[in-house]
Amino acid sequence: MEPMDGLALLHMVRGDARFQKLPFILISADANTSMREKAAAAGVSLVLAKPFDTETWRTAIGNLAA
């Protein structure tokens, strides 16, 4: 994702008080432990590793909406 990656976008979103509680799903082909830890520290709601199927997406959205 250019010109910034998902973690940079997450930091920008969480830096705005209006979006502190907005659910944020980070989708990545490189969802390694280090990236997940950085995302968790930045306030991500969920990390989904690519590839994923429709049911995984539905479950993720349902869990965030509950």
Side-chain angles (χ1 to χ4, degrees), residues 44-62:
V44 76
S45 305
L46 178 69
V47 176
L48 283 180
K50 292 179 190 177
F52 56 87
D53 58 20
T54 305
E55 189 56 37
T56 300
W57 178 249
R58 282 188 191 134
T59 299
I61 296 298

Side-chain angles (χ1 to χ4, degrees), residues 14 30 49:
R14 291 296 187 241
D30 186 29

